[in-house]
Amino acid sequence: MINCLLQLNGRLNYLKKYLLLINLFNLKNKDINFILVRKGLFVCGLRKMEKDDVVSSTPAATEEAVMNDKKKEKKAKKLAEKELKLAKKLERENLKNEAAKVLDYVCEDINKDNYGYIKVSTLQKYADSIMELYNLEDIYNFFVKSEDCENEKREICVDKNVGDVKDTYNEENLLGKKKIWVRGRIHDIRSKGSIAFIILRHKLYSLQCILDIKNNNNDKNMMKWVSNLSLECIVDIYGEIKKPEIPIDSTNIKYEIHINKIFCLSKTMKELPFLLKDANMKETNDEITIKVNQDNRLNNRCFDLRTYANYSIFSLQSVICHIFRTFLLQHNFVEIHTPKLLGESSEGGANAFKINYFNQNGYLAQSPQLYKQMCINSGFDKVFEVGPVFRAENSNTYRHLCEYVSLDIEMTYKFDYMENVHFYDSMFKHIFKELTNNEKNKTFIKTIKNQYPSDDFVWLDKTPIFTYEEAIKILIKNGKLFLKEEDILTYDLTTDLEKELGKLIKLSHNTDYYIIINFPSSLRPFYTMYKEDDPKISNSYDFFMRGEEILSGSQRISDMKLLLENIKLFNLDPNKLNFYIDSFAYSSYPHSGCGIGLERVLMLFLGLNNIRKTSLFPRDPKRLIP
């Protein structure tokens, strides 16, 4: 096999070059395996001579022998031809790849100052001009603020090679710079003739960049290279920022950059699992409009998280945690971190993950319940925790996860556990207000609703509170449940009836948020305190959003004797809970607490239809990766 690399006169057309090549080496058409042409360079692959090309000296078989072996020979010949064809194809592909590498090596320095693949470390060469390297969020915030107050100076955070530095510019100063560097992912590329349009994306922001080889003195090779860039690769672009005469509808930054230089820092190495344009499409109840299904999204979760809605969802999740934590710290709470590997299930039920812990039985924590109370008994007064909990429930529903983030609170009270119920209520209303009043949060919510339309979440200044018995009677009165009054305290509300109750309360009270108290004692855990005048009713409470529970809590039993009695009543082994029971032996303040499902709160606030949308990497009975 011979490879030929020739630099032929650029004025000759390709046909003349081809004929010249054949005459030069005295070749025939069948001898040419392939030809690659790039930038005036020819790479020619010559076909390797096969055994079939040599005249055989073996005597011909007799006619009788041919007749006897005709079928066998025909079958063998077909198989040999098939194998030879496949081998030639593989060889041809390998040779093409090798030839392409040769061309890449020869041509790698052409226009290297204007475009190409580059390492971040190499950017030091351009340090003087890249001292101000903007991301799209910087540019968006800058121009939005500049448009709000045209002549005022505004702060913009720019990424410099010495770290994040605050510089002050106004719109006139930035445009006066004429040329800037910007970094982002390629969201879309459209090329037509001598012009290419690149849409850059970063977080929620997008910017149009234009490569015009006529006006910007760029060459055709640069245009070809840019047109072949893959979606989602990360590029640095240097060019002049301008305000276009015709407003841009496809981006949320209403300026554009005219490209002088473009370098690719990181390219995509695999075929995209789906197009982000499809993943960003609005979802409705019509399945035809759903371009990317849930399993495909979750199987490629890292890529799926690049959508505008997902970035907004998990930004809001971070905001909720921040508001929750800040609110409690301002009220003198102590943040704690309890163990998740336990020697006994924390809720005393069967839905705990059992593990082998160095030849001992261990369990993953269903909640930090026992340890929260032990901290109260240690004198901490008010504690909270943000952490994972685990439930071995084989429930493949839209609202259940096997692992979720729990926002847990435990606190003492002075006279009545309802003091704490009102405190939790005030905390939730504070969270709702912060989510809806903050401008940045409004942007997140709007972005999410653009893809997942839903009604706005509604709550009242004074939250409606119903007893469990009152809630059941509302369902009975409206024909949603048929139940005798004497059976109310033994009836466990189903999920469907909870939703129906939520709809009825929305109609009667115009709120998506309400509280139910005093559940039957038989429906609550062993550590729940009951009413002294009616032990069948517990001092417990659940908070609801859009007809679904998001908080569950109760007054805790703080008397050691009562606690032991209740443990036996629930058929639990007190010996396995001695570490917990003993903490009450040295006195205990009256206290209550609650557990809140973070993913469920966010799902219901946004009106989403599946809790997996609010779990970063969801764990359900069928999903353990990614």
Side-chain angles (χ1 to χ4, degrees):
M1 177 65 207
I2 302 174
N3 285 333
C4 302
L5 175 63
L6 298 178
Q7 175 72 55
L8 298 180
N9 192 326
R11 296 181 180 178
L12 294 176
N13 61 35
Y14 291 150
L15 179 59
K16 289 182 179 179
K17 292 177 182 179
Y18 178 71
L19 295 175
L20 179 62
L21 189 66
I22 289 177
N23 292 331
L24 182 64
F25 289 97
N26 193 24
L27 302 173
K28 298 179 181 179
N29 282 339
K30 68 176 184 177
D31 296 323
I32 304 296
N33 198 351
F34 67 87
I35 291 178
L36 291 180
V37 182
R38 192 181 301 174
K39 301 175 184 175
L41 296 177
F42 263 53
V43 173
C44 173
L46 303 185
R47 188 171 66 85
K48 187 176 181 181
M49 184 169 287
E50 307 293 343
K51 291 182 179 180
D52 294 344
D53 297 331
V54 182
V55 178
S56 175
S57 60
T58 306
T62 63
E63 185 176 349
E64 184 178 353
V66 171
M67 291 296 293
N68 291 337
D69 297 333
K70 188 174 181 180
K71 290 184 178 180
K72 188 175 181 180
E73 182 181 353
K74 187 176 181 180
K75 186 176 181 180
K77 187 176 181 180
K78 283 186 177 181
L79 182 61
E81 288 176 351
K82 186 176 181 180
E83 291 177 351
L84 181 61
K85 187 176 180 180
L86 180 61
K88 287 182 178 180
K89 183 179 178 181
L90 291 174
E91 182 185 20
R92 187 162 56 251
E93 291 299 322
N94 289 334
L95 292 173
K96 281 187 178 182
N97 291 336
E98 291 297 324
K101 289 180 181 178
V102 173
L103 281 180
D104 286 342
Y105 178 78
V106 174
C107 303
E108 66 178 353
D109 291 331
I110 297 176
N111 294 317
K112 63 180 180 180
D113 291 334
N114 293 330
Y115 70 96
Y117 296 101
I118 196 169
K119 295 180 180 179
V120 176
S121 57
T122 312
L123 291 176
Q124 187 65 33
K125 176 181 177 181
Y126 305 97
D128 291 339
S129 57
I130 296 186
M131 285 294 285
E132 291 166 2
L133 174 61
Y134 296 86
N135 64 47
L136 303 191
E137 186 174 12
D138 296 334
I139 296 175
Y140 177 85
N141 290 333
F142 177 81
F143 283 121
V144 166
K145 291 175 181 177
S146 295
E147 289 170 1
D148 290 341
C149 190
E150 190 171 357
N151 296 319
E152 286 188 16
K153 290 187 175 182
R154 299 289 181 176
E155 282 192 340
I156 178 170
C157 181
V158 295
D159 295 329
K160 297 193 175 185
N161 61 350
V162 293
D164 289 346
V165 181
K166 291 280 186 180
D167 282 342
T168 304
Y169 300 106
N170 59 27
E171 180 178 0
E172 186 176 329
N173 286 341
L174 184 58
L175 291 175
K177 291 178 180 297
K178 294 186 178 179
K179 295 181 180 180
I180 64 170
W181 282 95
V182 64
R183 177 174 293 173
R185 275 195 169 93
I186 293 183
H187 185 68
D188 193 20
I189 296 180
R190 293 177 290 110
S191 58
K192 186 176 181 181
S194 62
I195 298 179
F197 297 90
I198 298 176
I199 303 297
L200 287 189
R201 188 191 75 250
H202 177 68
K203 296 182 180 178
L204 302 179
Y205 312 102
S206 54
L207 171 70
Q208 178 172 279
C209 303
I210 299 175
L211 177 65
D212 187 342
I213 62 175
K214 289 183 178 179
N215 297 334
N216 287 354
N217 296 321
N218 305 122
D219 61 24
K220 293 182 180 179
N221 294 326
M222 184 175 181
M223 170 66 75
K224 185 177 180 181
W225 182 84
V226 167
S227 299
N228 288 325
L229 283 172
S230 56
L231 298 182
E232 295 303 302
C233 66
I234 299 173
V235 294
D236 279 358
I237 289 177
Y238 179 72
E240 185 176 0
I241 186 165
K242 296 181 178 180
K243 192 167 187 176
E245 296 179 1
I246 301 175
I248 304 170
D249 295 327
S250 58
T251 63
N252 54 11
I253 297 176
K254 303 307 178 183
Y255 288 75
E256 62 187 16
I257 290 182
H258 290 254
I259 301 172
N260 292 121
K261 299 179 181 181
I262 177 170
F263 297 101
C264 179
L265 277 70
S266 179
K267 55 184 177 180
T268 52
M269 306 300 291
K270 293 177 64 177
E271 183 180 353
L272 302 182
F274 46 81
L275 295 178
L276 281 185
K277 288 192 290 186
D278 292 339
N280 277 318
M281 287 185 65
K282 179 182 289 188
E283 286 194 9
T284 64
N285 293 328
D286 184 4
E287 293 184 1
I288 298 176
T289 63
I290 300 176
K291 298 293 185 180
V292 185
N293 64 43
Q294 180 173 275
D295 283 340
N296 195 8
R297 287 178 181 272
L298 295 181
N299 290 338
N300 301 279
R301 188 58 161 165
C302 182
F303 188 71
D304 179 51
L305 290 173
R306 293 182 183 182
T307 63
Y308 298 129
N310 277 332
Y311 178 80
S312 300
I313 286 170
F314 293 103
S315 295
L316 280 182
Q317 190 178 90
S318 174
V319 168
I320 291 174
C321 287
H322 175 73
I323 299 171
F324 173 80
R325 181 177 278 111
T326 303
F327 183 85
L328 295 179
L329 290 174
Q330 288 174 347
H331 286 83
N332 299 319
F333 277 73
V334 175
E335 183 171 7
I336 60 173
H337 304 283
T338 61
K340 305 307 171 192
L341 292 171
L342 310 181
E344 184 60 35
S345 60
S346 49
E347 298 291 335
N351 59 345
F353 284 106
K354 191 175 182 179
I355 61 172
N356 183 347
Y357 188 74
F358 300 106
N359 297 320
Q360 304 176 62
N361 288 332
Y363 300 87
L364 295 180
Q366 297 161 284
S367 79
Q369 180 58 47
L370 307 185
Y371 294 92
K372 289 190 301 177
Q373 289 187 257
M374 290 167 69
C375 287
I376 293 296
N377 293 341
S378 299
F380 280 71
D381 197 38
K382 300 176 182 179
V383 297
F384 75 94
E385 179 174 11
V386 179
V389 295
F390 307 88
R391 300 292 172 96
E393 297 176 350
N394 192 11
S395 299
N396 295 285
T397 71
Y398 72 93
R399 63 196 290 267
H400 286 97
L401 291 171
C402 294
E403 177 186 352
Y404 64 91
V405 178
S406 183
L407 310 178
D408 275 273
I409 301 175
E410 204 75 18
M411 60 189 296
T412 60
Y413 60 83
K414 294 180 180 178
F415 306 108
D416 187 86
Y417 76 97
M418 287 299 293
E419 298 167 18
N420 291 355
V421 172
H422 293 303
F423 176 81
Y424 308 144
D425 178 40
S426 67
M427 178 191 70
F428 268 106
K429 286 186 283 194
H430 174 70
I431 291 173
F432 299 153
K433 288 177 183 177
E434 286 293 311
L435 289 177
T436 52
N437 292 340
N438 180 277
E439 288 301 321
K440 192 170 185 179
N441 296 338
K442 285 181 181 179
T443 301
F444 291 142
I445 293 171
K446 181 180 178 181
T447 302
I448 296 164
K449 288 184 179 294
N450 284 341
Q451 181 162 3
Y452 305 114
S454 66
D455 296 331
D456 290 339
F457 183 77
V458 179
W459 73 95
L460 302 175
D461 290 335
K462 186 176 181 180
T463 305
I465 299 178
F466 307 91
T467 65
Y468 184 81
E469 187 173 354
E470 288 171 343
I472 293 290
K473 287 181 177 179
I474 291 174
L475 290 169
I476 294 173
K477 181 180 178 181
N478 288 273
K480 302 298 181 180
L481 177 64
F482 301 96
L483 192 69
K484 294 180 181 179
E485 188 168 338
E486 57 266 26
D487 295 330
I488 289 178
L489 293 181
T490 59
Y491 185 79
D492 189 3
L493 269 178
T494 64
T495 300
D496 290 338
L497 283 176
E498 286 179 345
K499 286 185 178 181
E500 290 296 331
L501 179 63
K503 292 176 183 177
L504 294 172
I505 292 175
K506 179 67 178 291
L507 287 173
S508 60
H509 292 74
N510 191 31
T511 181
D512 290 314
Y513 169 67
Y514 54 91
I515 301 169
I516 297 178
I517 62 174
N518 299 139
F519 286 77
S521 297
S522 59
L523 303 180
R524 309 304 279 198
F526 70 89
Y527 46 77
T528 303
M529 185 61 186
Y530 47 81
K531 293 178 74 70
E532 293 182 3
D533 57 346
D534 190 353
K536 292 182 180 179
I537 300 175
S538 64
N539 292 338
S540 58
Y541 39 85
D542 281 2
F543 287 33
F544 289 80
M545 293 172 64
R546 300 187 196 261
E548 299 193 45
E549 172 222 319
I550 48 97
L551 174 151
S552 186
S554 68
Q555 176 190 345
R556 317 305 192 188
I557 296 176
S558 55
D559 182 272
M560 184 177 177
K561 184 178 178 181
L562 287 179
L563 182 60
L564 281 168
E565 290 176 359
N566 229 37
I567 288 174
K568 292 176 182 178
L569 186 65
F570 277 74
N571 295 318
L572 299 175
D573 185 358
N575 293 323
K576 293 182 178 180
L577 295 170
N578 276 337
F579 70 96
Y580 165 70
I581 298 169
D582 284 348
S583 70
F584 293 87
Y586 313 108
S587 74
S588 175
Y589 280 102
H591 60 281
S592 76
C594 65
I596 304 163
L598 173 63
E599 291 89 346
R600 195 176 287 185
V601 168
L602 184 55
M603 175 187 76
L604 295 170
F605 180 82
L606 296 171
L608 301 176
N609 62 4
N610 198 299
I611 199 168
R612 290 158 187 80
K613 286 185 170 72
T614 56
S615 177
L616 197 64
F617 293 96
R619 292 291 179 262
D620 58 34
K622 295 182 179 179
R623 184 170 294 278
L624 198 55
I625 56 174

